[in-house]
């Protein structure tokens, strides 16, 4: 039997080193979602999905400003891409651009609710949408609309602690103590012993009842 030549061994070694180098390069690209999707966007700039995923990767790192252009590029490619509008609204809200955030949330509201009703989206997702709309209205000083949407969120998912907190803050701000007490008691009942604000909520409730 003829043994492989030294030249063949050398060629095989070179191929192995090339494959190892390619693997290392690919692993470096995939170390983070941002690197992974940046690489994808470079290869497919005109595709909506890589741009969306890169925007979400920045969003997950709280890099709001860097996420914005990628969501907007998605909407240039597909103006009806609701996930991009929803994610963009989150970035805008965190940059304190509440009117713009609200605009995108209102644009997706009806579509998301249809998905919730048909079971294609969870009620929790619908409640979060309502909560976010309420939070925008609250920041903009429109307490009437904020209250409507906080209550819509609670109707959809009654055990939402964050939404209940938002509604209680709104009621206290309007000096509507009886209603604030009612929702505060509901909130404390929902919050377990590990909830960091539980004792603070109890103290606020005591103060509200003293005022009666």
């Amino acid at each position: 039997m003829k043994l492989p030549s030294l030249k063949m061994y050398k060629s095989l070694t070179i191929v192995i080193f090339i494959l190892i180098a390619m693997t290392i390069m690919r692993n470096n690209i995939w170390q983070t979602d941002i690197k992974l999707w940046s690489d994808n966007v470079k290869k497919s700039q005109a595709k909506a999905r890589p741009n969306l995923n890169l925007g979400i990767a920045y969003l997950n790192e709280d890099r709001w400003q860097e996420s914005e252009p990628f969501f907007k590029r998605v909407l240039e490619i597909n103006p009806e891409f609701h996930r991009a509008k929803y994610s963009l609204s989150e970035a805008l809200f965190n940059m304190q651009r509440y009117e713009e955030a609200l605009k995108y949330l209102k644009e997706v509201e009806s579509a998301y609710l249809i998905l919730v009703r048909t079971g294609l989206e969870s009620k929790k997702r619908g409640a979060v949408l309502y909560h976010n709309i309420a939070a925008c209205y609250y920041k903009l000083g429109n307490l009437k609309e904020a209250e409507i949407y906080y209550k819509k969120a609670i109707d959809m998912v009654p055990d939402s602690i964050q939404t209940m907190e938002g509604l209680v803050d709104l009621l206290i701000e309007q000096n509507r103590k009886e209603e604030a007490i009612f929702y505060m008691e509901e909130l404390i009942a929902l919050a377990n012993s590990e909830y960091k604000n539980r004792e603070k909520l109890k103290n606020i409730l005591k103060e509200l009842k003293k005022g009666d």
Side-chain angles (χ1 to χ4, degrees), residues 30 32-42 44-63 66-75 77 81 83-85 87-88 125:
W30 287 357
T32 69
D33 285 343
I34 290 172
K35 285 184 178 180
L36 168 63
W37 291 111
S38 293
D39 183 56
N40 275 264
V41 166
K42 283 177 186 175
S44 308
Q45 289 187 18
K47 289 185 178 179
R49 183 61 64 177
N51 283 285
L52 175 71
N53 288 340
L54 181 53
I56 290 171
Y58 279 120
L59 200 65
N60 291 338
E61 296 287 332
D62 296 345
R63 293 164 68 174
E66 290 165 278
S67 73
E68 181 182 357
F70 295 101
F71 294 135
K72 287 189 171 177
R73 187 182 293 169
V74 174
L75 295 174
I77 298 165
F81 205 130
R83 180 67 192 278
K85 290 182 181 181
S87 298
L88 177 56
R125 175 79 71 167

Side-chain angles (χ1 to χ4, degrees), residues 80-198:
E80 298 305 315
F81 205 130
H82 297 307
R83 180 67 192 278
K85 290 182 181 181
Y86 188 90
S87 298
L88 177 56
S89 74
E90 185 178 341
L92 293 167
F93 185 91
N94 283 288
M95 290 189 281
Q96 299 181 10
R97 290 157 61 184
Y98 305 121
E99 285 188 21
E100 293 172 79
L102 181 60
K103 170 184 172 288
Y104 286 108
L105 287 169
K106 293 296 286 180
E107 284 181 13
V108 303
E109 180 182 1
S110 59
Y112 264 80
L113 293 179
I114 290 169
L115 293 174
V116 170
R117 288 191 199 106
T118 55
L120 296 173
E121 274 289 4
S122 67
K123 283 188 175 182
K124 186 175 180 181
R125 175 79 71 167
V128 169
L129 174 67
Y130 279 147
H131 173 94
N132 291 348
I133 292 173
C136 286
Y137 277 126
Y138 186 83
K139 290 290 186 180
L140 291 167
N142 190 338
L143 301 187
K144 182 179 178 181
E145 287 296 320
E147 181 179 350
I148 289 169
Y149 277 92
Y150 277 136
K151 286 182 175 178
K152 282 184 176 183
I154 291 167
D155 285 344
M156 190 168 281
V157 178
D159 60 353
S160 175
I161 291 174
Q162 189 179 5
T163 301
M164 198 84 76
E165 276 189 326
L167 179 58
V168 167
D169 287 343
L170 182 151
L171 294 169
I172 291 172
E173 188 171 330
Q174 293 181 312
N175 203 30
R176 292 159 60 186
K177 289 185 180 180
E178 285 187 16
E179 292 169 90
I181 289 168
F182 171 80
Y183 283 105
M184 182 68 83
E185 288 174 339
E186 291 280 310
L187 178 55
I188 291 168
L190 285 172
N192 60 35
S193 58
E194 295 178 4
Y195 184 62
K196 62 180 181 179
N197 288 336
R198 196 167 193 266

